Amino acid sequence: MTYDRESYWSGVANRIGGRATDCALAGDADAFYRYKRRKMLSTFLSALPVDGRVVLELGPGPGGNLEWLLDHRRPTRAIGVDISDAMLGLARERLKDRAELHKTDGVSLPLPDRSIDTSFTVTVLQHNVVDSQVHRLASELARVCRGPIVLIEDTGHGQPKADADTAWISRPITEYEAMMRDVGYRLTKSARLGLRVSRAGYNRLIRCFRPLEEGALQPAARRIAIAMWVGIAAPLDSLVPDPIDLTQMVFERR
Ligand SMILES: C[S@@+](CC[C@H](N)C(=O)[O-])C[C@H]1O[C@@H](n2cnc3c(N)ncnc32)[C@H](O)[C@@H]1O
């Protein structure tokens, strides 16, 4: 089936909405993704310059990142712009009137020039597999933002170039760097989350179970096996460098 961003993410939102437990994002139905998220929040999101600033998340999904920032930091305004109405519906339920949420066509941002202090993404550009669309998004982020742009995306070995069915692409840091240079931003810092041990075992473990659609509720046996593995592997992750996976890239205006 051809990957269409809006209908794909609305499908994920509907599956998340159908789960009984409170869900902050698509992948948090198992212990590995919950661990990854905790690590992302404590190392990447906690370092965002947010206090006293207007903050934009491009692609907030169900709103868990904005909620965390509103609970733990002091932005003056929090804004989310997403391509999926169903995701925006979940975010509205979660955030009520604490954040301003807008719909986008996937390439433009419905915001005035230089109206944002800090912009960020978490696993959004990697789900925009058409390069020309990502370039337009980068130029829109540069138009609306007067301060740093922080991209938290999967990088690394590079998923082979996407075809029409692929829902994600892993671009190397150099590709994001070149794209942001074109819109007047330079890379000032990059850091990887570091999940090498836990991810390796997780990827092997899930092959023992039936494949699931993104956002779907996981069977108990699978959840228990993953939780046990993460308990063993998580302490080892910090001991081994990880050349791929989630990367925080901080860009400042040139
Ligand atoms: C993997 S989810 C991540 C959600 C959230 N950032 C998080 O970390 O929980 C990707 C989100 O990006 C949104 N998205 C994908 N492409 C987009 C685009 N071009 N513009 C705005 N939102 C987009 C999807 O609708 C979805 O909500």
Side-chain angles (χ1 to χ4, degrees):
M1 201 186 73
T2 303
Y3 172 55
D4 170 75
R5 293 171 300 171
E6 183 166 2
S7 54
Y8 178 88
W9 289 106
S10 290
V12 173
N14 291 335
R15 285 190 290 278
I16 296 176
R19 296 200 313 237
T21 48
D22 179 51
C23 302
L25 78 169
D28 66 354
D30 72 40
F32 174 71
Y33 277 97
R34 284 194 296 275
Y35 156 63
K36 182 172 176 174
R37 176 169 170 73
R38 279 196 307 278
K39 204 166 175 181
M40 188 280 291
L41 292 171
S42 62
T43 54
F44 292 168
L45 228 58
S46 65
L48 271 188
V50 163
D51 292 350
R53 297 182 185 219
V54 180
V55 178
L56 165 68
E57 180 174 12
L58 172 65
N65 297 332
L66 287 176
E67 181 182 46
W68 189 89
L69 287 175
L70 287 159
D71 286 347
H72 294 89
R73 308 290 294 281
R74 288 191 192 77
T76 50
R77 282 168 67 201
I79 301 170
V81 176
D82 204 285
I83 197 172
S84 155
D85 266 327
M87 282 292 186
L88 288 167
L90 291 180
R92 272 189 200 103
E93 265 174 45
R94 173 179 297 279
L95 297 164
K96 310 285 188 272
D97 59 359
R98 301 176 77 199
E100 300 157 41
L101 298 167
H102 304 282
K103 170 93 169 71
T104 166
D105 59 5
V107 284
S108 56
L109 298 178
L111 298 167
D113 295 357
R114 304 274 173 130
S115 54
I116 303 293
D117 294 309
T118 301
S119 300
F120 71 101
T121 66
V122 182
T123 63
V124 174
L125 301 184
Q126 67 191 52
H127 293 296
N128 285 258
V129 298
V130 178
D131 285 342
S132 60
Q133 292 175 339
V134 180
H135 282 259
R136 282 189 63 189
L137 282 170
S139 121
E140 278 292 90
L141 283 171
R143 178 183 66 76
V144 303
C145 197
R146 48 187 177 238
I149 298 175
V150 179
L151 305 180
I152 301 173
E153 301 287 338
D154 269 311
T155 65
H157 44 56
Q159 154 104 331
K161 280 293 175 199
D163 58 28
D165 303 332
T166 313
W168 75 284
I169 181 168
S170 171
R171 299 181 174 90
I173 296 174
T174 48
E175 212 168 310
Y176 284 111
E177 192 174 6
M179 181 178 75
M180 295 302 291
R181 194 184 311 121
D182 287 349
V183 298
Y185 272 79
R186 71 192 159 88
L187 182 68
T188 56
K189 182 187 166 191
S190 68
R192 296 200 200 270
L193 196 56
L195 301 169
R196 192 165 186 169
V197 179
S198 58
R199 183 185 58 245
Y202 173 79
N203 286 339
R204 282 190 184 83
L205 194 57
I206 58 172
R207 279 190 226 131
C208 307
F209 297 90
R210 194 168 48 84
L212 291 172
E213 284 187 303
E214 187 162 4
L217 182 64
Q218 310 209 356
R222 176 178 161 137
R223 277 184 280 138
I224 291 166
I226 293 170
M228 287 171 69
W229 166 246
V230 169
I232 297 165
L236 304 175
D237 276 336
S238 55
L239 306 177
V240 188
D242 188 0
I244 59 169
D245 215 304
L246 212 53
T247 305
Q248 178 203 46
M249 294 166 278
V250 179
F251 295 91
E252 306 273 356
R253 232 172 227 296
R254 284 195 286 169

